[in-house]
Amino acid sequence: NYKMMCAYCHQIDAVVGSHNAALQLNEDGVMRGGIQEPIATGAHSSAYSNLHDRNDLRSSDLCGSCHDVVTPAGVHLERTYEEWQSSIFAEEGVFRLSCGNCHARGYDGRAADLPNAPERRVHRHGMAGVDIALTDFPDRERQRAWVNEELAGSLYASICVGPLPGGAEIVVLLDNVGVGHSWPSGAAHDRRAWSEVIAYANGEEVFSSGVVADDQALLSLEDPYLFLLRDTGFNAAGEETHMIWDITSVESNLLTTTVTTDPLNPAFYHYKEHRYPVLGAVPDRITLRERIRPMGLDVIDDLIESGDLDPQLRSAFPTFDLESTVLEWRGEIGDCVESN
């Protein structure tokens, strides 16, 4: 189907709504893009479009139309565009960033493979976020590297250790400092983002939370202290569900994005803290890493069981670690360590 190929995006000439792919296509044979004064080619006609220009904030309207989803039940299930609209990045000024400024990084190169094609500022088409291709796809391996690159500096993290009778209290703080929408975002009811914390004393492990094997479903953990960031969907009976057609309400536990630079505004502070009690020992070493799976393995297992997914694809679902959150604390009560 051509609509799932390059032509779909490059034939869009209008955005007519804010969600559920409310886009207007013009099948006049003209491919629209963000390049001013495109050169003529024999492949197709070309034209400049501000909807495709990553340096124009209006281009986010095109991206956002598909990346906000409202279900037939009226549930605003995916809210990435709405999250960006409320942020400082959606305003003209020093912080302005369109969707493409982050997810379609620029580089110098030729937009057309022709001898007369000039060097321009072009952009990647990998659209790196957190989802990845599981089957054959152009630049599949580089796509994973680009996802790691996008995730690397997304969050600020810190570990502090305070006093607790008979042990110590670990305080982990996470803040969304590098993302123009909530984190995680998109299909956040399917995402699994969590903190892995392990404490040691004299070389022995004395506490752990969020430790899961790469082939283990996170929600199978019996972990009362799990620090989990995601949306949770519920059906009409109030039961937890992740199937889109069953969800009638959502509870959200996400890191929200930056909406103001004024420290006197309560909205300036949007970090989350999580506390872990370590009883019977005082740790001298603590490790932290924030981990994310594009889709929970519990969701994958349901799709395999229903016959909707090839079981061989299960092992292809990755677990990413955010570089800025990989911390090691070594100190005494009252000490902290934080992201660089």
Side-chain angles (χ1 to χ4, degrees), residues 252-311:
S252 185
N253 182 37
L254 309 178
L255 293 174
T256 56
T257 190
T258 303
V259 299
T260 178
T261 57
D262 179 6
L264 298 180
N265 186 329
F268 178 81
Y269 301 96
H270 49 87
Y271 60 83
K272 290 185 181 292
E273 282 187 352
H274 200 71
R275 298 173 181 268
Y276 306 86
V278 181
L279 301 176
V282 176
D284 51 34
R285 175 174 170 254
I286 301 166
T287 61
L288 167 70
R289 58 178 174 169
E290 185 67 13
R291 317 195 76 196
I292 185 169
R293 287 174 177 163
M295 183 175 286
L297 293 181
D298 54 303
V299 181
I300 301 307
D301 289 338
D302 279 357
L303 293 173
I304 291 172
E305 184 178 354
S306 67
D308 294 306
L309 188 70
D310 184 345

Side-chain angles (χ1 to χ4, degrees), residues 3-17:
K3 289 187 176 181
M4 300 304 293
M5 301 170 69
C6 308
Y8 181 80
C9 287
H10 287 283
Q11 289 187 125
I12 294 168
D13 68 357
V15 179
V16 295

Side-chain angles (χ1 to χ4, degrees), residues 182-224:
S182 296
W183 195 92
S185 190
H189 58 290
D190 287 335
R191 313 281 190 225
R192 301 291 181 263
W194 75 99
S195 299
E196 180 194 86
V197 177
I198 307 175
Y200 304 86
N202 300 316
E204 298 291 330
E205 182 179 310
V206 294
F207 177 86
S208 69
S209 176
V211 178
V212 61
D214 283 347
D215 63 351
Q216 180 183 3
L218 178 69
L219 298 189
S220 70
L221 286 181
E222 296 292 335
D223 185 347

Side-chain angles (χ1 to χ4, degrees), residues 102-278:
C102 290
H103 295 289
R105 301 276 181 175
Y107 67 96
D108 294 328
R110 292 183 176 187
D113 187 16
L114 295 171
N116 63 330
E119 284 278 323
R120 302 182 187 267
R121 191 66 176 170
V122 293
H123 63 271
R124 298 174 182 169
H125 279 69
M127 309 299 179
V130 65
D131 295 301
I132 63 157
L134 299 177
T135 55
D136 288 340
F137 191 80
D139 279 332
R140 182 181 173 190
E141 292 308 313
R142 283 205 295 174
Q143 184 192 45
R144 290 195 180 216
W146 290 339
V147 169
N148 266 321
E149 180 182 315
E150 290 300 320
L151 292 172
S154 298
L155 305 185
Y156 163 90
S158 69
I159 308 170
C160 294
V161 181
L164 191 70
E169 182 180 57
I170 302 170
V171 181
V172 168
L173 182 149
L174 295 176
D175 200 359
N176 180 354
V177 296
V179 180
H181 45 69
S182 296
W183 195 92
S185 190
H189 58 290
D190 287 335
R191 313 281 190 225
R192 301 291 181 263
W194 75 99
S195 299
E196 180 194 86
V197 177
I198 307 175
Y200 304 86
N202 300 316
E204 298 291 330
E205 182 179 310
V206 294
F207 177 86
S208 69
S209 176
V211 178
V212 61
D214 283 347
D215 63 351
Q216 180 183 3
L218 178 69
L219 298 189
S220 70
L221 286 181
E222 296 292 335
D223 185 347
Y225 301 110
L226 184 65
F227 188 6
L228 176 61
L229 300 173
R230 65 159 180 153
D231 281 348
T232 305
F234 297 91
N235 62 21
E239 302 163 330
E240 184 176 336
T241 182
H242 49 73
M243 294 303 181
I244 295 174
W245 46 87
D246 291 331
I247 295 176
T248 59
S249 63
V250 173
E251 290 183 2
S252 185
N253 182 37
L254 309 178
L255 293 174
T256 56
T257 190
T258 303
V259 299
T260 178
T261 57
D262 179 6
L264 298 180
N265 186 329
F268 178 81
Y269 301 96
H270 49 87
Y271 60 83
K272 290 185 181 292
E273 282 187 352
H274 200 71
R275 298 173 181 268
Y276 306 86
V278 181

Side-chain angles (χ1 to χ4, degrees), residues 30-174:
V30 177
M31 297 296 113
R32 293 153 176 84
I35 292 177
Q36 298 274 6
E37 300 179 357
I39 65 171
T41 76
H44 52 73
S45 297
S46 303
Y48 170 77
S49 162
N50 55 39
L51 290 175
H52 297 77
D53 185 347
R54 58 195 288 275
N55 295 315
D56 191 312
L57 285 180
R58 287 170 291 187
S59 65
S60 292
D61 298 342
L62 187 155
C63 300
S65 176
C66 287
H67 287 275
D68 261 31
V69 174
V70 178
T71 71
V75 179
H76 200 161
L77 192 59
E78 298 188 24
R79 305 173 298 279
T80 305
Y81 180 50
E82 181 184 74
E83 293 159 1
W84 173 83
Q85 284 180 304
S86 69
S87 76
I88 61 171
F89 307 108
E91 304 169 3
E92 291 291 352
V94 67
F95 297 106
R96 68 177 298 282
L97 283 172
S98 72
C99 303
N101 286 144
C102 290
H103 295 289
R105 301 276 181 175
Y107 67 96
D108 294 328
R110 292 183 176 187
D113 187 16
L114 295 171
N116 63 330
E119 284 278 323
R120 302 182 187 267
R121 191 66 176 170
V122 293
H123 63 271
R124 298 174 182 169
H125 279 69
M127 309 299 179
V130 65
D131 295 301
I132 63 157
L134 299 177
T135 55
D136 288 340
F137 191 80
D139 279 332
R140 182 181 173 190
E141 292 308 313
R142 283 205 295 174
Q143 184 192 45
R144 290 195 180 216
W146 290 339
V147 169
N148 266 321
E149 180 182 315
E150 290 300 320
L151 292 172
S154 298
L155 305 185
Y156 163 90
S158 69
I159 308 170
C160 294
V161 181
L164 191 70
E169 182 180 57
I170 302 170
V171 181
V172 168
L173 182 149
L174 295 176

